[in-house]
Amino acid sequence: MDGQKWAQETAGKIKHKMRIVAERNRHKIPYTTIDGVFDDWSGDRICWWTNGFWGGIMWQLYHATGEELYQEIALESEDKLDANLMSASGMNHDSGFRWLPTAVADYRVTGSRKSFNRGLLAANDMAGRFNPMGRFIRAWNDDGDGSKAGWAIIDCMMNLPLLYWAYEQIHDPRFLQIATMHADTAQKYFIREDGSANHIVSFDPVTGEFLETFGGQGYAEGSSWTRGQAWALYGFVLSYVHTKKDSYLNTARRVANYFIANTPESGLIPVDFRQPADCTLEDSTAAAIAACGLLEIAGQLEQTGELGKTESRVYKKAALKLLTALEEKRCNWDENHDNLLEKCTAAFHDEAHEFSIIYGDYYFIEAVWKLTGEELFIW
């Protein structure tokens, strides 16, 4: 398969559909679709962790096309997120997911000092969640009882780039130290010997002692939640991009090798690699995120000499398998439906499964843009 030709054709289809979708939903911040129409989380649900991805899609489209519509929508989305930034209870470790694709992307493109300030505020808040005894960033809030004070989750690897960005901007070593200490802890306690990943790890918040792991959004404790695998795969290579610490790239490769080895022949990814054999639930978001990570690993390896170039082709081929399967079997190209990806699942034990989710669309677009060279690097 000619991956470049496929990517260019798919990018054209994305641009055609998303021009219509963006105009139709320009004042929303969507999470999913209802009967094919994007919902809107910009009101009393503004603090939801996925609310940066719509703005991220708009910046990626603006970067690729130069069309002002996309910048206008992205700026409106960024402004709305100020209500989240000013809500102490609404802030958590997912600040990277919200302000890297919005405020930081804006700053990268336009140099806006207002956006720079937003990104730095979010980074400072995230750094304040660091537990120095356990050397981890606390994930979620609780009801004030401290029940989740010692919880860290694999998703946080994808939020660390907000801290790396802050360090690169103002050269305050706190941000780099916190990010790398969390990544080191994740290497030790989240990534298993075979390259699979835990979702939730619990530490004693006072002593920092490791306590236990939880299955979280996967099938069970000790299983292999695929979106968690994808967060780890992409997150560790991004830590390598920012630090050039070889262990991060090696960890990303180990997780990637596990992901590739467990990918079904169809290229369609289950919710959990260890879910029961008779369970057919899928998560297209895991495939799209993993594809981004695989392509990033390939790109980094291409810079390490001939052996690296040879190995990089393995990861690029695996990414194309995931992406072409999504494009052929799990993308909705109907202009009357707002979403791109179908059969996305937030968590194994949720009541609802296999619906559209905004970050699935974001990472699918980002992966295709990586192949066409149109990507705005925001991580």
Side-chain angles (χ1 to χ4, degrees):
M1 176 185 31
D2 185 341
Q4 194 64 29
K5 180 181 179 182
W6 173 87
Q8 292 291 351
E9 291 175 351
T10 303
K13 291 164 68 175
I14 290 170
K15 291 169 187 174
H16 175 76
K17 173 169 177 171
M18 290 307 298
R19 182 63 176 77
I20 298 167
V21 171
E23 182 63 55
R24 191 162 57 218
N25 295 278
R26 62 184 303 154
H27 301 301
K28 295 180 180 178
I29 297 182
Y31 171 67
T32 186
T33 52
I34 300 172
D35 297 326
V37 178
F38 274 143
D39 59 1
D40 184 13
W41 287 57
S42 62
D44 58 5
R45 297 180 290 186
I46 193 61
C47 295
W48 187 234
W49 72 273
T50 69
N51 283 348
F53 289 107
W54 178 243
I57 290 173
M58 295 301 107
W59 281 119
Q60 293 293 358
L61 289 165
Y62 177 72
H63 189 255
T65 69
E67 292 189 40
E68 294 297 325
L69 168 68
Y70 300 127
Q71 185 181 38
E72 292 169 6
I73 297 172
L75 294 175
E76 180 178 328
S77 178
E78 180 184 342
D79 285 343
K80 289 177 178 178
L81 280 172
D82 282 352
N84 185 174
L85 197 57
M86 293 296 101
S87 170
S89 63
M91 298 295 287
N92 53 42
H93 76 114
D94 280 325
S95 289
F97 283 137
R98 282 170 285 184
W99 284 281
L100 281 169
T102 55
V104 174
D106 185 354
Y107 174 67
R108 292 186 193 276
V109 175
T110 71
S112 166
R113 297 306 296 181
K114 187 174 183 179
S115 297
F116 174 87
N117 184 60
R118 286 165 167 152
L120 201 56
L121 283 171
N124 272 292
D125 185 273
M126 184 177 170
R129 303 183 70 83
F130 183 70
N131 183 308
M133 296 301 291
R135 298 164 68 94
F136 67 89
I137 294 170
R138 174 179 174 169
W140 297 307
N141 303 322
D142 49 40
D143 293 326
D145 58 6
S147 59
K148 296 179 181 177
W151 284 20
I153 66 175
I154 194 63
D155 316 38
C156 193
M157 288 302 304
M158 284 297 298
N159 289 290
L160 297 184
L162 179 64
L163 301 182
Y164 293 129
W165 170 80
Y167 168 68
E168 291 156 7
Q169 295 304 311
I170 65 172
H171 308 292
D172 185 334
R174 291 179 307 135
F175 296 112
L176 178 63
Q177 291 161 356
I178 289 170
T180 54
M181 282 191 282
H182 179 92
D184 291 345
T185 297
Q187 280 187 134
K188 182 176 181 180
Y189 292 105
F190 282 85
I191 307 304
R192 307 179 188 123
E193 192 64 31
D194 64 356
S196 63
N198 291 305
H199 180 202
I200 302 173
V201 175
S202 176
F203 300 92
D204 185 310
V206 176
T207 67
E209 177 188 4
F210 165 76
L211 297 177
E212 59 185 320
T213 63
F214 302 114
Q217 288 163 255
Y219 171 62
E221 195 282 324
S223 67
S224 180
W225 178 48
T226 55
R227 195 165 82 248
Q229 300 296 143
W231 292 142
L233 190 165
Y234 198 5
F236 274 106
V237 71
L238 288 171
S239 277
Y240 172 76
V241 168
H242 289 283
T243 68
K244 299 305 178 185
K245 186 174 179 179
D246 287 340
S247 69
Y248 296 154
L249 180 58
N250 292 336
T251 298
R253 290 160 63 199
R254 183 149 55 96
V255 178
N257 293 343
Y258 172 86
F259 199 102
I260 293 169
N262 285 276
T263 296
E265 186 59 36
S266 66
L268 302 173
I269 300 302
V271 179
D272 195 302
F273 282 133
R274 297 172 185 170
Q275 65 193 33
D278 61 352
C279 179
T280 61
L281 293 176
E282 295 177 27
D283 182 14
S284 295
T285 74
I289 298 160
C292 286
L294 291 166
L295 290 172
E296 194 63 45
I297 292 172
Q300 294 302 314
L301 288 173
E302 285 177 358
Q303 303 172 34
T304 62
E306 287 305 314
L307 186 60
K309 289 180 180 178
T310 299
E311 187 181 356
S312 74
R313 288 194 284 270
V314 174
Y315 296 111
K316 186 173 182 180
K317 181 180 178 181
L320 280 168
K321 178 176 181 176
L322 296 174
L323 292 170
T324 55
L326 290 174
E327 188 269 328
E328 294 170 8
K329 304 170 186 176
R330 294 296 179 260
C331 273
N332 188 329
W333 297 109
D334 184 345
E335 297 166 8
N336 295 310
H337 287 253
D338 289 336
N339 59 293
L340 289 173
L341 291 192
E342 299 181 327
K343 293 209 170 188
C344 305
T345 297
F348 188 92
H349 293 289
D350 283 354
E351 291 185 10
H353 299 92
E354 300 187 330
F355 51 96
S356 66
I357 304 179
I358 194 65
Y359 51 83
D361 289 2
Y362 172 81
Y363 284 105
F364 181 72
I365 293 171
E366 183 183 284
V368 174
W369 268 219
K370 283 180 184 290
L371 291 167
T372 63
E374 296 171 294
E375 178 195 14
L376 171 64
F377 185 77
I378 64 173
W379 305 106

